[in-house]
Structure formats: C-alpha cells, structure tokens
Amino acid sequence: MVKSHPTSPLAQLFTSLLMLQLCLPLSQAALPPTNLQPHPAHVPSLVPRLPTPLTRSRFSAKTQLDFSTHCNSSCFHRAEQEAQREDLSQKLAFETLYSDGSRTLTAVDVDGDGDDEGEGKVHLFPRTPPMRRLKRQVGSGRRVRRQIYGADGRFNIRGENFLLDYPFSTAVRISTGCTGVLVSQRHVLTAAHCVHDGKDYVKGARKLRVGFLSPPYINGTRPGQNNSDPKKPLVRWVRVKRTRVPKGWIQGPQEVSMDFDYALLELRWPHRRPFMRLAVTPSSDDLAGKRIHFSGFDSDRPGELVYRFCPVEDESNDLIYQHCDARPGASGSGVYGRVWDSTLERWERKVIGVFSGHQWLEIDGENRDYNVAVRFTPLKFAQICYWVHGNQLDCSHD
C-alpha cells in the first residue's frame, strides 16, 4: 500500500492525491498539449577521442548527502550566454572509473548543432524560451526543517504491488547513501556528488554497489528471515563495473556547481526490471500539469522508498527550481515528467533530470531557496546517451 507519514486526516488526503496523480495519464491520454513544438529538440553529436590513462584515485573524499550551494545573479545568469565550443568540449569530457580503481579521461569534440550564429559558438539549450526570472517565493514562512516546505507532501511506497510496479521499480539505492534511477538494462543514473566531491572520488566509490528493493515476502521469504524488520523491504546489491562523471563536475570544490551534477553507473550484470527512458528536458509548459515527480531513499525514513511530486516553480537553462519536499539521501533520484510523445500520441513518463539538492539564491538583494534538479540540455543528453549506447547513432533524438 501507499502511505503518507504519519497517518492522519491530512495523510489520507495525500494518499487520495497520490492515487489521483497515478490515474492522470488515463485522463490525459486524449489531451495533447496545446503548444506542441513542431520538431523534437535537435541533439548535437559528441565525438569522443581515445581515452587517456590517469593515475589511480585515492578515494579520499567524504560523501556529502546534504548537498547545498549558493548562487548570485552572476552565476545564475551565466547559462544564458552562448558558450565557446572549446569550453563546452572541456566540460563534456568525462572520467571513467573502473572497478579495479583505474581511471581514464576521454576528451570530446562537439559537432555542430545547426543553431550556431557565430563561428566556434554553440547554444547550451537550443529551441527553448529564454530563462524566466525567478518568482518571489509565495508564503515563504519558516520551513519546518531543511528541504521540507510547509506540510510534508511525501508518500511512503510499500507493498509488492507498488514496489515492483513501474515507475517506482526504477528507483534504486546507491551504496554511498544516495538514490539512482534505472535508465537501461545495465545503467543507473545518479548525482555526481554521490560518488565524487569535485576533486576526488568518495571512499565508498571504491566498491560501489546498486541496491534493488524487493518486498519482504518476495521469492517465498518468510517474515523476519534474513531481515531484522519483517516490515522493511529486502535489498539485493549488485556491483558497479564502471562509473562515468562529466569533467564539468570535476573542477575542484571552488568551481563546483549543480549544472553538471550527474553520473552514470554501469552494472556488472544486467537486471530484469523495466527502466525509464531519457529525454531532453522540455520547458515546464510542455510537461503534463507542469509537474515533476521522483522517488528516493530519504534519510529520515530509513529503508523506505519515498515518492513526491510538485509543480516546477521556475527553470534556468541548466536547472529546474522547485519545492518538492526532500531530505538527504534523495540526491540522485531520477526526476521525471509526463512528456507528450507525438509518435505514440500519448503522454510518456521520461527522465528529464537528476535531483541534486538545495540552492540558496541571492537575486536583487533577496534571499530565496529552492530544491534543485539538473536538467538535460541537448548536449548533456547526447553525452549520457553516448555513455549508455556507446555510439551516436542511437542518440539523434530521445
């Protein structure tokens, strides 16, 4: 069953809202968005070079689950500017960490995206409206606790019928304490800060594992057998074969921002669960209900899968700003929305970002705070897609 925590009339209301939310695709199936884009976002090509061997990682960093950054008007607006192709090639290069501790650096060249207006320049987020000005937070009373805005709107996901059903079954645990989302039969997307602090890999990345949640009675397991709490789900751990982190994240702590806070883990063995497809992040106007959703393993509810949804408050070219309730441990959750698929003529759930953490904004002399997810620009999508498929042929569109 799906439960809000704690049980109360308000919790019952949350449960009713959740059930309504799960049923929304049925009612929306015949209602395409009124502002359909004539063409899907163009995905540029990344041309990887031969990997260069690096020295072995020291695994000296500490895992930071409660990731928070500060941003002022200069860093907030920098993504609006056109970027030099050379600078993009630097940020879209990537490190690969192997299970034996060795690592390589792969440089990339950015192919033309068809929107260039000046030689050597490329748009970070083509064919989208310009970044909107962030709105003043309405009703911004004191928060109950960090990353919880007003009444707690999270739901505990329990029971075999929910834990093993899509989309909840795509959420997995990361052994460093974070969350991830299945994006192929062998790949898990998570936040970069869950495995790397911007300068070195965290200690837990040396033997990184991914945990698959199962109800306590699955496969005939009796209550309490191999499980200290018979009500808690079981976790099956799978080793990670290799980890990829964009160079845009590996710039040293003084340069760390949320723009490139994502990483891809390749499992040693394929899994049999359904996974969620990736998509270039559309404008919030092109999401069903302008809402995002994600499920994660919040630290204040140990052993539980926690689901939430909320409207997008605002967006920049690289980030999604929202007030979805979340606690440490939810970092790395796959943020998804219902995107209209013109080929299938229906709404499809697709991963459009990675939940990163919390950001304080200092804009026009005002302090505002949001929970933040990294959005997939066409270039980031091309990079992650290459990591998954190993070629560009399958990455021309979502």
Side-chain angles (χ1 to χ4, degrees):
M1 61 187 299
V2 182
K3 290 185 177 181
S4 182
H5 184 79
T7 303
S8 64
L10 184 59
Q12 294 175 359
L13 174 61
F14 285 156
T15 302
S16 300
L17 289 173
L18 174 58
M19 298 310 297
L20 175 63
Q21 186 69 14
L22 294 174
C23 294
L24 276 177
L26 299 176
S27 61
Q28 292 170 334
L31 298 174
T34 56
N35 57 339
L36 284 174
Q37 295 180 353
H39 302 289
H42 176 79
V43 177
S45 295
L46 298 184
V47 184
R49 303 177 189 172
L50 289 176
T52 303
L54 300 174
T55 58
R56 296 173 71 89
S57 172
R58 293 177 295 145
F59 299 101
S60 61
K62 294 182 179 179
T63 306
Q64 185 180 358
L65 297 182
D66 194 5
F67 184 55
S68 183
T69 60
H70 289 74
C71 181
N72 55 28
S73 56
S74 62
C75 82
F76 181 71
H77 291 291
R78 68 182 176 184
E80 286 187 279
Q81 310 302 320
E82 289 182 334
Q84 292 290 337
R85 193 181 303 277
E86 181 180 351
D87 183 51
L88 282 177
S89 296
Q90 281 273 11
K91 293 181 181 298
L92 292 168
F94 55 89
E95 271 195 19
T96 302
L97 173 68
Y98 299 90
S99 56
D100 63 358
S102 62
R103 58 191 180 118
T104 60
L105 173 64
T106 303
V108 300
D109 294 318
V110 179
D111 226 356
D113 69 352
D115 277 344
D116 296 350
E117 295 176 358
E119 185 177 354
K121 292 185 177 181
V122 61
H123 292 279
L124 280 170
F125 204 66
R127 292 193 181 94
T128 57
M131 181 178 63
R132 301 198 300 254
R133 181 186 182 84
L134 282 178
K135 301 180 285 294
R136 179 193 293 266
Q137 184 177 332
V138 179
S140 56
R142 238 176 133 179
R143 290 177 296 155
V144 177
R145 55 186 182 274
R146 189 173 186 77
Q147 297 182 343
I148 301 296
Y149 297 88
D152 194 336
R154 297 173 297 163
F155 302 88
N156 284 9
I157 304 301
R158 295 173 179 168
E160 180 178 346
N161 292 337
F162 284 103
L163 280 178
L164 296 184
D165 277 359
Y166 186 89
F168 305 122
S169 59
T170 64
V172 292
R173 291 178 59 179
I174 308 299
S175 57
T176 54
C178 289
T179 302
V181 61
L182 302 174
V183 294
S184 86
Q185 289 186 328
R186 295 191 74 129
H187 295 91
V188 174
L189 195 63
T190 189
H193 77 261
C194 295
V195 296
H196 197 290
D197 73 345
K199 190 174 183 180
D200 193 15
Y201 290 92
V202 302
K203 183 178 180 180
R206 186 188 300 269
K207 295 182 179 179
L208 199 60
R209 299 179 298 162
V210 169
F212 291 78
L213 218 59
S214 298
Y217 307 121
I218 199 69
N219 295 328
T221 304
R222 295 191 302 275
Q225 180 180 349
N226 300 323
N227 190 5
S228 57
D229 187 346
K231 296 182 180 180
K232 290 292 179 66
L234 301 173
V235 182
R236 179 177 62 88
W237 294 97
V238 177
R239 288 288 301 273
V240 171
K241 180 180 178 181
R242 56 185 169 188
T243 302
R244 281 175 165 161
V245 181
K247 195 68 167 63
W249 174 259
I250 307 174
Q251 300 292 326
Q254 70 279 3
E255 297 291 337
V256 162
S257 73
M258 290 180 166
D259 295 355
F260 290 87
D261 189 14
Y262 57 90
L264 191 77
L265 317 180
E266 182 179 343
L267 302 174
R268 181 170 292 184
W269 308 106
H271 62 85
R272 297 180 180 179
R273 295 194 179 186
F275 56 86
M276 200 176 296
R277 293 173 60 201
L278 295 165
V280 173
T281 309
S283 165
S284 61
D285 293 334
D286 294 323
L287 293 174
K290 298 185 179 181
R291 282 187 294 269
I292 58 171
H293 316 245
F294 59 96
S295 299
F297 297 93
D298 301 47
S299 58
D300 62 335
R301 301 188 185 180
E304 298 283 356
L305 179 63
V306 184
Y307 164 75
R308 75 229 75 194
F309 65 92
C310 68
V312 174
E313 295 287 335
D314 228 308
E315 52 197 336
S316 69
N317 288 326
D318 284 284
L319 301 175
I320 300 171
Y321 292 89
Q322 33 80 19
H323 287 146
C324 282
D325 295 325
R327 294 289 291 158
S331 293
S333 299
V335 173
Y336 64 89
R338 295 188 179 95
V339 182
W340 182 258
D341 191 312
S342 12
T343 304
L344 300 175
E345 295 189 347
R346 67 187 184 199
W347 296 93
E348 287 283 301
R349 293 184 182 94
K350 294 182 181 178
V351 179
I352 58 171
V354 172
F355 179 63
S356 178
H358 180 264
Q359 186 172 90
W360 287 96
L361 286 172
E362 298 176 17
I363 307 294
D364 299 333
E366 295 181 7
N367 291 323
R368 311 167 196 174
D369 66 300
Y370 295 88
N371 280 338
V372 177
V374 180
R375 66 186 303 167
F376 299 147
T377 65
L379 284 166
K380 294 175 188 175
F381 175 87
Q383 182 190 56
I384 298 170
C385 191
Y386 175 80
W387 291 348
V388 171
H389 294 286
N391 62 72
Q392 292 294 333
L393 298 178
D394 299 314
C395 301
S396 58
H397 55 77
D398 64 325

